[in-house]
Structures are given as structure tokens and as C-alpha cells.
Amino acid sequence: MSTPDLDPEVVATPEPGAVETPPKESATRSRPLPARVWAQTQGKVGVVLTAAVVLVALAGPLLAPWLTGYSPTEFADRPFQSTGVFGTDNLGRSVGARFLAGGLLLLAYSVLATALGLVVGCTIGMIGGYAGGRTDSVIMRLNDIVLAFPQLVLALLAIVVLGPHGWVLVTVIGLTHAPRIARVARAATLGVVSEDYIRAAEMYAVPRTRILAREVLPNITGPLSVEAGLRLTYSIGAIASLSFLGLGMQPPAADWGLMINENRIALSVQPWGVILPVLAIAVLTIGTNLLADAVARATESTTVEAS
Amino acid sequence: MSGVTAERGWRPQRDAALSMRGLRVAARGGAEILHGVDLTLTRGEILGLVGESGSGKTTAGLACLGHFRSGLAHTAGSVRLEPRPASSEADDGGEGLELMGLPTDRLRRLRGSCVAYIPQDPALSLNPVLRVGEQIREVLDTHGYGESTGDRDARVEEVLADVGLPSTAEYRRKWPHQLSGGQQQRIGIAMAFAMFPDVLILDEPTTGLDVSTQSHVLDTIRSMTRQHDVASLYITHDLAVVAELADRIAVMLRGELVEEGTVQQVLQAPEHPYTRRLLDAVPDLAGRKVLTATGQLPAARPSGSDADGGKATGGATAPSETGPREPEPGREAPLLEVKHLRKSYGRTPVLQDVGFSLRTGESTMVLGESGSGKTTLSRCVAGLIEDYEGSIALNGKELAASTRKRSNDERQEIQYIFQSPFSSLNPRRSIGQSLSVPLEMSGKLPARERRGVVEDALDSVRLGRSFHDRRPGDLSGGERQRAAIARALVNAPSVLICDEITSALDVSVQASIIDLLNRLRSERGLALLFVTHNITLARHVADRIVVLNQGVIVDSGPVDDVLENPTHDYTRELLSNVPTL
Amino acid sequence: MVKLILKRLLVSVFILLAVSVVVFAATLLLPGDPARAILGQQATEERLAALRTEMHLDRSPVERYLLWLGGLFVGNFGTSTTTGGPVAGLLSERIGASLILMLCAAAIAVPVGVAIGIYSALHRGTRRDQAVTWSTLTLAALPEFVIGIVLVTLFATSVFRVLPAVTMSPPGQQVWEIPSQLILPTLTLALVVIPYIIRMMRATMAEVMDSGFVEMARLKGVPERQVILRHAFPHAIGPVAQVIAIQLAWLAGGVVVVEYLFRYPGLGQALIDAVAFRDVQVVQAVSIIIAAVYVLVNLVADVVGILANPKLRSAS
């Protein structure tokens, strides 16, 4: 992996009489993906940033009362005072306590939405790419229809009809990711299905589902893991945005996006209520995005999907 | 410049145009690619630089233009350009110009005018968004040819005519994608000759072209080089091409020049063992030698024995050179029979009424150039194409078109090996996993016995058992192709379809694969359908030959008959265009 | 070529129709009676019945869809459940305000993104290129409201107090009559879009610069400047047009959050308000308009892609 730009002719191993050479050491012995990700600056920074915020989000709800002396929904003082470390919010609750408790749901919903999008998108993308022909064009046209809505608009449409429930957020964000992931999965599958090992499997009459699972899927994990990282970043952004608009998590829940919405009127008086959650969301999304980029470099994928 | 007189001393020939001395090039990581290469290019002469993949021949060629691909750097040695007395670029008194370390701007002015380059793949090297005429004119514009645009336009017309292309305005306005591969390559040649260069570097310019196109392009190169008194470096892996074209030959092996001399010297009295090995590996139309990659004899039997492989099951007792090539025609029902096969993609017919038969243990070569329909034919037989017309019968029983509709036994009888070993094995699965797929699908063996069968198959293709747990990425091209052959063997088939299986490999590896196939035939009585574009392999692998041209069989019969008395013009033309040593 | 473009046009029309079905189907899923929502709990049965007839609520879903679709073509977007007035009147001014915002953002983002992307590709591996890579990675990760709030903190409330944090729009006055209040929303949108354009431009140019024909051009002695402008750049037009289109189309949606953040009186703000009041007619109308912009921009990008490729251009 140290000389990626070499002339392929130079890199290819010369082959003297094939048979007589003793089995040589693996020339391309690749370290596992996590190690290759960690080997890059982007990977290291990404892991550290993501881990820090994830730690706060996971442990925060337990530590909040113990560290700040207040529960996230308990009234500590009058609104926008400097009680405690980070003061109080619009209703007089402890900003510190709400900050510590406010990441868990966001994180859980984002991960779930990404997982849903990956499963659905990957399945339809692989089927479309592998089946080709009419199946493929029908699937891709349906995809285009979903893609014609900006993600947020479709989410708002769903929320106005179904209400701002957690499952609605997860489902709608996940399903709006699906066609984008499907595109990537399809493109990657198309690159693989023209390979002769797929034809060989066809020739041995290997069942089609098994071809998808054993021959295609392992060979498209590179672009898919990059996509997973990107989509996680966008899921976090989208769910936080909805909460910020007041249409995601509902009061009195403690949530970073919602906190920003509630406290931004007092940005110049009591900035902590906005700055803390903004920082947390920023660090988290930057972390996951750097991770996605490091994975992309590690799998040597050049595809940068841009939506 | 100091030391000019001293340098004059080592100039070997009076009319040398470019000399490379002790050139060393290393990858940025540290590994050295060229270990001190000396080359001299002489005016009016073509030097053939021969080497297999990884020998560094392209790196050496590009160094003549002062160019190194990204990741590579010049570490030592010199490349000097000795300009013609009248050359406009001879601004240091005609005493030669060191290219290494020359400022990029001066290098740029030399490239395309004094030293020109003809690339390997014209399809990738012509800019798809510029008209071909513009691309030739660009060279003239860049180097300030002539006095006016009129002069330059006239030169474009002239050079197009020189390479045998129409020089009409309409032709000049074509886009690269509207031309055939041979025409694209001629545009490349026209571009190179536009400025009357002193030195020409040709990097495998005919790879990927059909023999007849190749022969035309080679003719063009030969006449242009002579006519303009250019010093040329022709880089190739193909000794036969060099034998026809070059005046001198230099042989490269892993970054070193191991032999140099006139064509006669090198081909008839090679000194270095590698050159000898390379020469031995080149197939020849006469089929008189035994192909070998290693210098040892492949089988116990002497030359010509390949064709007798079928006898092992045919029941014949005395394999001899003079024995009949046909195992008692008529008596035995054909193992595989193809009748009236038709297939078209959209409205383009690919196969038209194709028919032939294959007997047990027999080897038939299907010969065709690109677009002849040979791959379609072999895939129809393998059951990879679901909608063809006509019939394919195995042991007298008609086969379903799709492999999925064929019975387990039928599937096992016919095995297909793919062209590219780099694509036919799943890179994410071990060789053992890939090789046990056919066994798994036939379902005849319990899972724990499969490993043994797979290891036996690896043995029979001379790959060690240790390959069982390795991934394709660790294997060389030849090793992968052996693994792919082993996959075809695990179910003990009776017909092996080899679709261009050696065309992606170096000659020496090709020789070892051919050797392996012949051994397998004699050991197992396999019938072979050897699909290829390379007619020179005919006598090395086949008993019979079928010549396919644009979806129609134009010639067929025993190899000797077809090669010695071709009945069709197409076959005759093919035979006359084949370069030979 | 004309055939290709016509085909692409047909696909766009088809997608828009499908979008309208999806949007319309959303109404059917909604619980409750829109007529009662408009008139309130005290309304008499006769008035409700009259309004239902007027809103075609007594017809079958297919008829209602066709009537609604027909209305769209003549600018009739239905009746708002919150105000009881026509949706078209409610939105007409806001469309202009949103368009201004999008155009300003695009006018900044496209040239800046393309220029930095090319610069970065030509200086691959240098420290400046790495700086560009890191900043685009960081910026691309941030949700638009985070960028917006950071800008507000920097320029409006806490650090420098030079720009307005929210938009003032007295009745009868257009937003663009006070240009200073456009600056922050425009900047936010541009900052969200630029990193994607840079990344795509850089990736495409880097790929082209490694291609065989660029190497050939260099070996022909063509000056580097000409190699970039004549040989490499034309290849980047197609793919980059696509990305720019996706980003401009994204602006159509991204404008929602930014308008809400800056209380900018555009379509997005209207959409959020309508969602909060469950005013389905308005949500429908805005969704259709945004989707139409989206589809249109993509269509233009595809046409540019076709025109930039001689292979497609000459396929007639």
C-alpha cells in the first residue's frame, strides 16, 4: 500500500517458470481494514473525535445528575441564569445536565436510520445491478422518484402526516438514504458482475441469492463501508436538523438539536445552551466524516458520492 | 559545456541519435526499477527492446523523453540526445544535449519535435473531446512549425497521407471514437512524425490490434522510419514482431539489459540463458519445437506428441509422430456436436449457421480475430448464453441453452476456462473456496471429502497444496490461470473450453500453460476446444482447426491441411500476416 | 442527440408526475376532516358540506388527484387550512425571496468551488492541497444549522456585531431591499455547498490528469497550461455539472433550515410553519415546487453532460 501510484507494469511480479518457484510470501498481505484506517491521520482524528462524543452520549445520561446535581428535566433556577457550571436554559433547567443527556437518542436514531438505509439500499442496489434489464430500470426509476425530493422535504411530508414520532424519523431518514445507497451498491455491483468469477458461479449454477451474498457482497464492502460512514454523518445532521426545527424530538426530552432551538433566543446572554450542543454535533459529524474518508482511502475507493 | 571532447570519445556510432548510459530509476519507496541501462539509438535503425511484463522496458522508453511516471525518479546515469547537424534544437553547438536534469521548459520543447512517442493504447491516448485533425495540428502549433497556419494545415494533410489515412477536411474533423483501433494508432503515428523527429519511441503500438491491422501498422512504421531516417526504439513483448521489424534487438530482464545485438545474432545465437528461454517459449507456426517455459522437456514424448494426447483413451497403443491425427473417423460418435448455431445481439448477427464437432480426446482450435464471434461461440457451448438458435449436443443428447437448465452431469462434462485469470477468481475468497464451488454444486461429495479432491486438482496443475488457503491477490497471472484450470478439473470433465486463456499472459507463462494442457490431455483424455486469435499456437495444441470470420466458419479441418492448403482467402491473408521469427 | 435530450425530458416529466402522486397520497393518509379544520368546531353541517364540495372532498381519490393536478397547471394550489385563503397567494412572494437566496448562494459557490477544486487537483499532495482536503472534509460534515449558528455567533451576536442575525421584513418591503440581511443566509448556504463542488472537481481533475491522453499531450510537448485548459478541463465539465446540479437542487431543500434559522420569509419558512400547523395543502404545494426545481436542475445538468461529450453529441 506504500506505492499506490506505481506503473502497474512495474508492480506486477515478474514470473519466471511459475512452477519451480517456491510458494512466495503474500505480496499483497493486507492488514485488516481497522488497522489501515488507523494508519491515516484522518482515521486517527476521526476515531478520537467520534469516540469522545459517543462516550459523552452513552455515559452522559447516567452521569448527569451525579456531575451537575440536577436531572435533565428538573428546574434548577430561573431561565438563562448562570447557576451551576453552564447555567440554566429557557425554562431554568440545568444546561449541563441536559447536554449530558441529550446525545443518546440522536445517536441511536442515527445509527438505526443508517442501518435501515444500508439494508434496504444495498438489497435493491445489488438486485438491480445484478439482474439488469427491466428489473434494473424499474428499480432505478423508482429510485429517481425518491431522489427527486430533497431528504428534508420528504421527512417533513412524513412528519406532517404521521406526526413527529421516533419511528417516523428513523424510517423516513433511513428510507431516504436507501436510494442513494442503492446507487452506490448498484454501481459497485455493476463493476463486479462483469467479472468472470461471477460468470463462473453462473456456470456452476450457483443459486442467485448465494452469488449475491458470497461473490458480489464481499467485493463491494469497500464502497459500502465508505457510504455507511457518509450516511451516518448525514443521518446525524438530518435528525439534529429536524429537532432544531422543532419537528424531531419533542419537549421535554433533552436533545442537542432541540436545545439549540430552545436556547438560541438568548445566544448573546447565555450562550452555553447553544454552544455546547452545537460543538457536540459538530465534533460528532466531523469525526464520522473523517472516518468515512479514512475508510475510503483504506479501501482505495475513489468514488466520492456527493449528495 | 565542459568535457565535451571527453564525451565525444564514448559516442559509439557516428550517427547515434540518442544514447543512454547507466540509467538507474527507482520507485519513490526505494525499490530500484532500472539497474543501469545502456542503449544507443542510431539514425535510420529500429532497435527492438524486448521484455516481459515488469522488466522496466516502458520506464526505459519514457526516460528517452525525460519523462518518469508518478512515483518513479531518476537516480543516476545519463540520456543524451545527439541532434542532427541542421536541427533547430541544437543550441549547444551540435554537441549533444543531456536530458536528465534539463529544465522542464526545454524538455517540453524537445518532446514531440526531436523525440516523439507513440503510445501503447491509442484509444486511451487520443483525447476523446478533440478532433483528430486538431490533435495532430496541436503538435505543429506547439512547436511553431512553418510560417503560417496554412503551412501547418498542409503538413497535417501531408502526414495523414503518409500514414495512409484520408487527408480530407472531413476526415480531420472526425472524433477519435469514430475511428477503428488501427486508424487511431495511425493518427498516433502521424502525430509522432508531424515534426520530423530525430528519435521515436514506440511503446507496444500494436498490442490489442488484429494481426492484419498489426501488419499494416508495422508496414507504416517501417516505411516512415526508413523514409525520414529516424532512430527508433520499439518496445514490445513480442519477439516475432521485432524479428520482422527491427534491425537490432535488446533484451531486458527485471530492469537490466541482458543481451543486445543484431536481429540475426540474438535470434540465431542467443548468448544469455534468458533470451534462449524466451525464444524457446515463442510458439511457431511450423510447430516443430516443444514449447517450454523452463528449459526442460514437458512430456516424455518427442515433438508433435501434443496431438496424440487423445490416444490415451482412444485405445491406440503406439503413439507416433506419423500416426493418423484423426482417431478413426466415423466410428466414434462425436462427443460434442454443434449444429446450425445462430446468435445475434440486437440486429447484429454474431454467429451465422456455425457447426462443428469434437471427439473424445480431440483438440480443436477455434481461431478468430476480435469480433469474429469466437467468445460467443464458446460461451454458447458452456451454457452462458441463454438465447441462441441451433443445437449443441453432448454424447448425442441435445443440451439446454442455459447452464441452469442443464443437468448436473451435463454441467460437469463441459468446463469453461476464462480469458483473464485476473478476473475469473473471486479476490475475496481463498483458492480452495473457489475451487470447491463446482463440487458443492454437484453435491456428489460430502463436504469433508472436497478438500482432498481440490488438493488433487491443484497437484495436477502443478500448484502446491499450500495454494489451497491463499487468495488470488497473492498469485501471479500464471498461477491464477493454473488455479482456474484446476477449478475446471475438479469434476473430471470430458470437454475443456479454453477461451483465450493465454492471451493475458507473458510468452514464457503461455508456454508453460500450453505444456500443462497437453499433459492433462494425455493424462485424462480430455477433449479441448481451444479458442484463440493466435494462429501460431495451432500446431502446439490442436488436432483440428476451425477458422471463424465475422460469425461464419470459413475454413476447417485437420491443422496441417488448413495451414498448408487454406481454402479461404481470409485464412490465407491471416497466414501471410503472421509475424514469425 | 436531440433524441437523447427528448428522452431525458420525458423521464423528467414522468418523475414529476410520480412525485405528484406521492405528494397527493400523503393527503389521503391524513386523519381528520380538512373542511372542519378550516371552519372550526362550531361550523354548521351545511357550511361544511358546501366547503367539502368546493374542495372536491366528496369525490373519489382519483378524481380529486386529477382535479388537484389540473389546478397545479393553472396556478391553483388549493386552499390553506390555516388561513382559509388560496395557497398560491400565500407562496407567490416567498418564491421570489427563496430564489434570490439560492441564486446568490450559487453565484458564490460555483466559481469558488470550481476554482479551489482545480487548484487543489493541480497541487496534489502538497500542504495546500491537504489543507483544502481537511477543510472540505470538516465543512462537508457540518449540518447547515451548525454552520449558520457559528456564523451568527461570529458576525451577529457575540464576536463582531456587524450583521443582522435575523431577517426583518416589514409588510410591503422586499427582503432584498436591505441587502445586509442577505449576507449571512447566503454565506451559510454557500459554505454548505462549496465543499462538495471542490471535492468533485478535485477528484475529476485528478483522474483526468492521470489519463493516457494527458500524458500523451505532455509527451507531445504541449505547455502545461494548455494541457490543463484544453485537454483536461473539458472532461471535468460533465461530471462537475452533475455535482453542481445536485448541489443546486440540494439548495432547494437546504434553504428550509437556513430560512428557519434566519427567519427569512421564503418558501422554507412557509413549509416549516405549515408542518407545525399541519397545513397539508401548503406542504403539498411547497414539496411539489421544490421537487420541480430539483428535477429541472438535474435535467439541465444532464443536457450539459450530453453536450460536453462528443460521443453522445454525435450520436444522432
Side-chain angles (χ1 to χ4, degrees):
Chain A
M1 303 298 113
S2 57
T3 52
D5 281 331
L6 273 188
D7 176 1
E9 197 201 16
V10 176
V11 177
T13 37
E15 174 167 356
V19 197
E20 277 65 29
T21 42
K24 52 186 171 17
E25 281 300 306
S26 161
T28 56
R29 189 174 17 181
S30 49
R31 286 180 293 163
L33 187 66
R36 277 180 286 152
V37 170
W38 182 255
Q40 304 175 53
T41 326
Q42 275 96 332
K44 280 198 194 79
V45 177
V47 168
V48 169
L49 293 185
T50 312
V53 181
V54 168
L55 211 67
V56 169
L58 293 183
L62 297 173
L63 298 179
W66 181 67
L67 279 180
T68 63
Y70 298 102
S71 90
T73 46
E74 186 181 349
F75 296 99
D77 199 343
R78 282 171 301 137
F80 302 129
Q81 299 302 307
S82 47
T83 317
V85 196
F86 294 115
T88 61
D89 73 352
N90 64 331
L91 296 179
R93 298 164 296 193
S94 161
V95 165
R98 289 179 69 76
F99 168 72
L100 285 172
L104 189 60
L105 268 185
L106 171 67
L107 203 65
Y109 284 2
S110 312
V111 171
L112 284 177
T114 311
L116 176 69
L118 271 177
V119 171
V120 177
C122 192
T123 312
I124 55 180
M126 276 170 61
I127 290 176
Y130 178 64
R134 194 167 297 167
T135 320
D136 186 32
S137 35
V138 168
I139 287 180
M140 290 326 282
R141 283 293 91 81
L142 287 177
N143 246 354
D144 284 347
I145 294 168
V146 183
L147 286 173
F149 290 98
Q151 191 171 34
L152 200 67
V153 173
L154 202 58
L156 291 177
L157 200 61
I159 289 167
V160 76
V161 174
L162 302 167
H165 309 292
W167 67 268
V168 176
L169 295 183
V170 169
T171 315
V172 76
I173 299 293
L175 290 184
T176 47
H177 282 325
R180 292 163 172 92
I181 294 168
R183 272 187 170 184
V184 173
R186 176 177 174 270
T189 305
L190 282 179
V192 171
V193 289
S194 57
E195 295 283 332
D196 285 338
Y197 55 81
I198 303 293
R199 253 185 228 121
E202 289 276 345
M203 187 172 67
Y204 294 116
V206 177
R208 295 193 171 93
T209 46
R210 210 187 294 177
I211 292 183
L212 282 180
R214 287 210 311 208
E215 311 285 342
V216 177
L217 187 59
N219 284 295
I220 63 170
T221 47
L224 278 183
S225 50
V226 175
E227 198 55 20
L230 274 182
R231 291 301 148 198
L232 181 62
T233 309
Y234 297 146
S235 296
I236 297 167
I239 292 175
S241 296
L242 284 172
S243 296
F244 166 72
L245 294 174
L247 302 167
M249 316 301 176
Q250 294 300 304
D255 173 81
W256 292 339
L258 189 59
M259 279 176 79
I260 301 169
N261 185 23
E262 289 167 345
N263 298 324
R264 72 194 172 104
I265 35 166
L267 188 56
S268 47
V269 190
Q270 214 299 61
W272 288 119
V274 175
I275 287 179
L276 281 183
V278 161
L279 263 181
I281 292 171
V283 170
L284 180 60
T285 49
I286 291 173
T288 52
N289 204 32
L290 287 176
L291 257 180
D293 186 67
V295 172
R297 283 162 201 268
T299 57
E300 283 167 330
S301 157
T302 49
T303 46
V304 180
E305 233 266 329
S307 67
Chain B
M1 249 191 173
S2 63
V4 161
T5 39
E7 278 164 23
R8 231 183 224 166
W10 57 252
R11 202 187 295 170
Q13 275 108 359
R14 208 163 27 85
D15 47 359
L18 182 137
S19 43
M20 181 185 286
R21 288 290 167 274
L23 184 73
R24 287 174 182 272
V25 174
R28 291 257 153 77
E32 198 171 68
I33 309 298
L34 296 182
H35 318 289
V37 174
D38 298 330
L39 281 176
T40 304
L41 304 183
T42 313
R43 271 181 235 296
E45 207 177 80
I46 300 178
L47 173 68
L49 182 60
V50 181
E52 295 189 294
S53 46
S55 60
K57 53 190 193 299
T58 295
T59 308
L62 287 174
C64 297
L65 292 119
H67 179 71
F68 300 94
R69 292 212 166 130
S70 63
L72 299 181
H74 166 244
T75 49
S78 89
V79 177
R80 289 182 75 82
L81 199 60
E82 320 282 345
R84 270 175 232 233
S87 170
S88 59
E89 285 295 330
D91 37 12
D92 56 350
E95 291 306 332
L97 188 59
E98 174 60 51
L99 294 185
M100 299 297 103
L102 201 65
T104 40
D105 189 50
R106 292 197 56 197
L107 262 182
R108 188 186 66 65
R109 273 184 277 146
L110 291 173
R111 290 176 184 163
S113 60
C114 281
V115 192
Y117 178 74
I118 297 178
Q120 176 167 9
D121 191 341
L124 294 180
S125 304
L126 292 179
N127 192 331
V129 303
L130 291 177
R131 299 174 192 277
V132 293
E134 281 175 47
Q135 299 199 42
I136 300 175
R137 260 224 24 200
E138 189 179 32
V139 183
L140 302 169
D141 291 342
T142 304
H143 298 291
Y145 177 90
E147 304 289 314
S148 62
T149 48
D151 285 358
R152 298 200 264 271
D153 281 333
R155 177 66 191 142
V156 173
E157 277 182 43
E158 192 184 6
V159 79
L160 274 173
D162 281 351
V163 297
L165 291 174
S167 54
T168 58
E170 194 201 341
Y171 195 85
R172 279 178 278 150
R173 286 182 53 79
K174 281 187 186 279
W175 301 102
H177 72 265
Q178 293 169 325
L179 308 185
S180 70
Q183 289 171 325
Q184 288 175 342
Q185 194 51 286
R186 273 183 234 192
I187 296 287
I189 297 172
M191 229 151 52
F193 278 98
M195 286 296 294
F196 304 103
D198 295 333
V199 178
L200 187 62
I201 311 297
L202 302 107
D203 188 2
E204 305 228 26
T206 61
T207 313
L209 300 180
D210 284 333
V211 232
S212 41
T213 320
Q214 162 173 297
S215 134
H216 291 149
V217 170
L218 288 181
D219 285 343
T220 313
I221 291 171
R222 191 182 295 119
S223 66
M224 296 284 282
T225 323
R226 300 277 184 277
Q227 191 187 332
H228 295 290
D229 203 24
V230 175
S232 306
L233 180 69
Y234 192 99
I235 300 167
T236 184
H237 66 279
D238 193 339
L239 269 168
V241 165
V242 163
E244 293 223 324
L245 186 73
D247 302 293
R248 299 173 63 79
I249 294 183
V251 182
M252 265 187 103
L253 172 66
R254 281 176 233 151
E256 258 170 298
L257 212 61
V258 295
E259 181 152 5
E260 201 199 331
T262 64
V263 173
Q264 283 76 14
Q265 280 169 2
V266 175
L267 294 188
Q268 269 141 41
E271 279 172 14
H272 196 275
Y274 176 71
T275 315
R276 259 174 265 148
R277 234 168 57 202
L278 208 55
L279 278 169
D280 285 344
V282 177
D284 75 324
L285 205 50
R288 264 182 273 285
K289 68 184 174 196
V290 178
L291 283 189
T292 159
T294 58
Q296 70 191 38
L297 285 177
R301 281 173 263 174
S303 70
S305 65
D306 352 0
D308 296 323
K311 290 295 171 57
T313 51
T317 43
S320 78
E321 262 181 83
T322 51
R325 284 181 174 269
E326 304 267 311
E328 296 118 279
R331 265 195 223 167
E332 208 180 340
L335 175 65
L336 181 78
E337 188 153 38
V338 177
K339 278 189 204 153
H340 311 299
L341 193 65
R342 285 167 189 280
K343 166 74 191 161
S344 45
Y345 292 116
R347 276 188 213 152
T348 337
V350 182
L351 293 176
Q352 302 176 48
D353 201 17
V354 168
F356 66 90
S357 60
L358 187 67
R359 292 188 171 74
T360 307
E362 189 180 54
S363 169
T364 295
M365 170 181 273
V366 176
L367 181 76
E369 302 193 313
S370 52
S372 63
K374 58 183 191 301
T375 291
T376 306
L377 170 63
S378 53
R379 291 198 173 158
C380 284
V381 178
L384 284 168
I385 289 175
E386 297 187 357
D387 51 336
Y388 57 76
E389 292 169 40
S391 87
I392 297 173
L394 183 74
N395 287 321
K397 189 164 169 282
E398 190 167 331
L399 293 173
S402 160
T403 176
R404 286 186 190 279
K405 295 194 178 115
R406 293 181 185 176
S407 76
N408 235 333
D409 289 333
E410 288 166 346
R411 256 202 303 278
Q412 288 175 31
E413 290 293 309
I414 302 178
Q415 292 288 322
Y416 180 91
I417 305 166
F418 292 88
Q419 170 173 4
S420 168
F422 299 97
S423 151
S424 65
L425 296 167
N426 188 338
R428 296 293 169 121
R429 309 191 76 200
S430 73
I431 298 295
Q433 282 175 321
S434 285
L435 263 57
S436 49
V437 167
L439 294 171
E440 208 176 295
M441 295 319 296
S442 67
K444 291 193 173 155
L445 281 177
R448 69 198 123 77
E449 284 172 36
R450 287 182 203 143
R451 188 176 175 116
V453 177
V454 168
E455 285 179 341
D456 286 347
L458 285 172
D459 276 345
S460 63
V461 296
R462 279 73 175 173
L463 283 178
R465 294 182 171 222
S466 66
F467 280 82
H468 191 280
D469 298 315
R470 293 167 69 188
R471 303 266 169 126
D474 301 350
L475 274 57
S476 69
E479 288 166 340
R480 291 189 206 195
Q481 199 58 290
R482 281 165 192 272
I485 295 173
R487 173 168 61 187
L489 294 178
V490 290
N491 266 336
S494 54
V495 182
L496 216 52
I497 304 170
C498 305
D499 184 5
E500 290 266 32
I501 63 168
T502 60
S503 66
L505 306 173
D506 281 331
V507 265
S508 57
V509 186
Q510 164 171 288
S512 70
I513 295 283
I514 297 283
D515 172 36
L516 172 69
L517 283 178
N518 284 327
R519 277 199 241 191
L520 288 172
R521 275 182 68 203
S522 64
E523 282 167 20
R524 302 181 173 225
L526 280 171
L528 219 58
L529 200 60
F530 193 87
V531 180
T532 183
H533 69 282
N534 190 350
I535 199 171
T536 55
L537 288 172
R539 283 198 162 101
H540 298 283
V541 287
D543 309 322
R544 297 178 63 84
I545 187 165
V546 168
V547 182
L548 203 58
N549 180 28
Q550 296 178 344
V552 180
I553 291 185
V554 293
D555 229 330
S556 70
V559 167
D560 287 341
D561 293 0
V562 173
L563 294 192
E564 278 151 31
N565 305 303
T567 56
H568 196 277
D569 288 345
Y570 177 76
T571 321
R572 264 179 236 133
E573 201 199 320
L574 261 187
L575 282 167
S576 70
N577 283 329
V578 171
T580 46
L581 284 179
Chain C
M1 173 179 84
V2 178
K3 211 169 160 188
L4 258 177
I5 294 178
L6 279 180
K7 202 174 150 196
R8 189 62 195 74
L9 193 69
L10 261 177
V11 170
S12 301
V13 171
F14 166 76
I15 288 179
L16 266 183
L17 276 179
V19 164
S20 72
V21 172
V22 174
V23 169
F24 181 78
T27 354
L28 299 177
L29 290 172
L30 198 72
D33 179 357
R36 188 171 290 279
I38 293 175
L39 295 175
Q41 291 303 321
Q42 287 85 28
T44 59
E45 272 309 313
E46 294 87 66
R47 289 194 57 199
L48 280 175
L51 189 60
R52 284 198 195 106
T53 321
E54 197 191 314
M55 292 174 74
H56 311 298
L57 293 177
D58 49 351
R59 314 271 189 100
S60 75
V62 179
E63 274 180 283
R64 278 166 64 191
Y65 169 69
L66 291 176
L67 283 167
W68 175 73
L69 191 66
L72 292 186
F73 284 105
V74 296
N76 175 11
F77 288 86
T79 314
S80 160
T81 12
T82 356
T83 64
V87 174
L90 197 80
L91 296 181
S92 56
E93 269 184 27
R94 290 166 172 258
I95 293 177
S98 285
L99 273 181
I100 287 281
L101 195 55
M102 282 174 59
L103 289 179
C104 289
I108 296 174
V110 174
V112 170
V114 169
I116 299 181
I118 294 179
Y119 177 86
S120 188
L122 297 183
H123 298 81
R124 242 185 309 168
T126 64
R127 203 163 283 174
R128 270 173 259 175
D129 171 43
Q130 278 170 352
V132 170
T133 305
W134 278 87
S135 357
T136 54
L137 274 174
T138 308
L139 267 181
L142 297 175
E144 44 276 39
F145 74 91
V146 169
I147 296 181
I149 285 178
V150 170
L151 287 180
V152 167
T153 322
L154 279 181
F155 296 108
T157 60
S158 306
V159 185
F160 310 102
R161 304 193 176 198
V162 287
L163 293 167
V166 292
T167 319
M168 305 296 171
S169 56
Q173 197 183 9
Q174 302 299 337
V175 270
W176 52 87
E177 285 172 30
I178 312 170
S180 68
Q181 60 189 10
L182 279 172
I183 295 177
L184 283 184
T186 305
L187 205 58
T188 309
L189 281 176
L191 279 180
V192 175
V193 171
I194 285 173
Y196 293 100
I197 300 180
I198 293 179
R199 279 170 80 174
M200 192 63 197
M201 195 69 220
R202 181 185 180 278
T204 318
M205 278 301 273
E207 196 186 317
V208 177
M209 294 304 283
D210 280 344
S211 69
F213 54 81
V214 164
E215 183 178 54
M216 187 63 218
R218 285 185 176 145
L219 293 179
K220 267 156 72 175
V222 177
E224 195 61 20
R225 209 184 136 75
Q226 200 178 330
V227 169
I228 295 163
L229 291 180
R230 191 159 182 229
H231 287 264
F233 187 66
H235 292 269
I237 293 175
V240 169
Q242 294 277 353
V243 170
I244 290 177
I246 292 173
Q247 291 311 314
L248 292 186
W250 177 87
L251 281 179
V255 99
V256 173
V257 177
V258 174
E259 287 183 3
Y260 176 79
L261 174 65
F262 291 98
R263 300 197 203 292
Y264 186 89
L267 274 185
Q269 177 81 36
L271 182 62
I272 299 295
D273 291 346
V275 172
F277 292 115
R278 306 194 90 178
D279 189 342
V280 180
Q281 303 280 335
V282 176
V283 176
Q284 277 182 337
V286 177
S287 308
I288 282 283
I289 293 171
I290 290 179
V293 173
Y294 210 102
V295 170
L296 189 74
V297 175
N298 273 314
L299 176 68
V300 171
D302 280 357
V303 172
V304 170
I306 291 172
L307 292 179
N309 185 339
K311 219 176 209 168
L312 297 177
R313 210 181 337 165
S314 57
S316 51

